[in-house]
Every structure is written in C-alpha cells, then in structure tokens.
Amino acid sequence: MVESLLNAPSSIGLIFRALAFAAEKHRNQRRMDAEKTPYINHPVALVDVLVNEGGVTNTETLCAALLHDTLEDTETTAEELRRHFGATVTRLVQEVSDDKNLCWRERKRLQVERAPHASPPAQRIKLADKICNLRDLVAAPPPAWLPERRREYFEWANAVVDTIRAANSTLAERFDHIYAQRLRPDLGYAAKED
Ligand code: ZN
C-alpha cells in the first residue's frame, strides 16, 4: 500500500518530493549575494513566480523548476532524475540546463540561440529564472560583480526573454518591469557617457 503510494504520488506529493530532492542536492550551496543566501531559495522563488504570478499549475513544470539547477550545479545525473521524477520532468530539466563543458560565453550564446526552440513549459521556467535572477541582481547584487558585468547580464537576459515571450505574456511583462530597473541611477547600470 505504502509502496504503491510512493510509486504514483499525487501532484502535491511529487512537487514536495522535488523540493526535498533539490534541497538535499543544493544543501551546501549558497547564492552569490553578500548574505550568501541558501541556494534552495532560488528554485523556490521560481516556483512562487510561476504559480503566483504566471498562473502556471502544471505539476511537471513546477517539479522541473524546483530541479532546474540540479543537473548543472550538483552531481545529480539525468538517470537519477528519471528514476525519481520520470521522463517528462527530466527532459524539461535537461532543456533548461547549460552544458558545463562549454565556456561561460558560449553557454550564454547558446541560450539565446536555443531558447526559441525549447518546449513551452521549458520556456516558462526560463522566463521565471530570468525574472528571479534580475530581481536578485537589483535587490542584492553579488559584491564581486562590477556594474559592467551586471549590465551585461541584464542585456543577455533580455535577449533570451525576447525569444520566448509568447510562452507566458504575464511573465514576460513581469520581466519587462524588472528589466526596466536597470536604468535606476542608484544601481549604476546605465551606460557610461563616453
Ligand atoms: Zn536558476
């Protein structure tokens, strides 16, 4: 009885399983802000944005959002994800993962190139990811990031989002709102006058 429940969890069961799995995998990681926020806050923020701002309620999408950095930033394998969460969730996580064998610049370039060909659920996860990252950048920028690098990140995020806006117009608007913050003089992101 218990085993069959575990084999076919409810939606809420699967979502919490993904949350517990991601929390365990990211347990020793911190974000780059000055306070070194626990890493898991980021995937949780993504799901919050997807559900409460984007109206996304699809279980696989929410699970993949919670797991979206496990392949890229932890030792987790695709096989492991498949075993715990099935093929659909695993494919979504793969779609939003960069190939860490490539250099930073090439990974960024490929995101712009590949985003329009990703599935709509993967595009929605990407939209939420870019919203959360820009919000973090405005609220608590990594001390090591100079204004130039922050500016570059804003522009790159916008280039990715430009290709996937149709996946969720509300999320695209939320992105525009945070992207507009780059012009706030106190952030020092505005282009130098030279
Ligand atoms: Zn992320």
Side-chain angles (χ1 to χ4, degrees):
M1 178 66 183
V2 171
E3 204 162 309
S4 67
L5 274 177
L6 286 175
N7 286 339
S10 60
S11 292
I12 193 85
L14 204 59
I15 290 166
F16 273 89
R17 183 185 285 180
L19 175 57
F21 185 95
E24 168 69 16
K25 293 293 186 178
H26 291 298
R27 69 188 181 283
N28 294 323
Q29 296 173 334
R30 297 285 179 271
R31 298 287 281 170
M32 289 184 291
D33 57 292
E35 284 190 30
K36 299 199 178 357
T37 308
Y39 198 90
I40 191 65
N41 289 17
H42 170 63
V44 169
L46 245 73
V47 172
D48 186 20
V49 164
L50 282 168
V51 176
N52 295 313
E53 297 184 52
V56 176
T57 54
N58 177 269
T59 302
E60 274 92 12
T61 307
L62 301 180
C63 285
L66 285 168
L67 299 164
H68 82 279
D69 278 332
T70 57
L71 286 182
E72 201 176 298
D73 292 333
T74 77
E75 299 297 301
T76 307
T77 63
E79 183 43 45
E80 206 178 350
L81 287 184
R82 224 169 276 125
R83 212 167 49 237
H84 289 278
F85 304 102
T88 307
V89 170
T90 304
R91 207 171 327 110
L92 285 175
V93 177
Q94 286 174 315
E95 280 192 273
V96 298
S97 297
D98 288 347
D99 180 353
K100 278 275 175 119
N101 295 318
L102 302 170
C103 72
W104 184 82
R105 207 158 277 284
E106 179 64 2
R107 295 204 308 263
K108 300 285 157 199
R109 191 188 68 76
L110 282 175
Q111 275 207 39
V112 179
E113 197 177 288
R114 291 179 179 166
H117 309 292
S119 64
Q123 292 182 344
R124 289 189 268 276
I125 296 170
K126 273 180 177 292
L127 277 169
D129 194 27
K130 299 296 178 269
I131 291 169
C132 291
N133 283 336
L134 290 199
R135 283 179 181 169
D136 285 352
L137 210 46
V138 168
W145 283 33
L146 298 173
E148 180 59 36
R149 178 154 183 207
R150 297 179 204 167
R151 240 191 333 264
E152 205 183 324
Y153 192 90
F154 264 77
E155 296 316 320
W156 167 76
N158 188 49
V160 175
V161 166
D162 252 351
T163 70
I164 57 176
R165 302 180 64 87
N168 186 303
S169 55
T170 309
L171 291 180
E173 280 168 27
R174 297 298 173 115
F175 177 86
D176 292 344
H177 182 78
I178 189 67
Y179 175 67
Q181 301 288 306
R182 78 197 185 288
L183 300 173
R184 255 172 47 183
D186 59 307
L187 295 175
Y189 297 170
K192 275 179 263 151
E193 289 173 35
D194 54 9

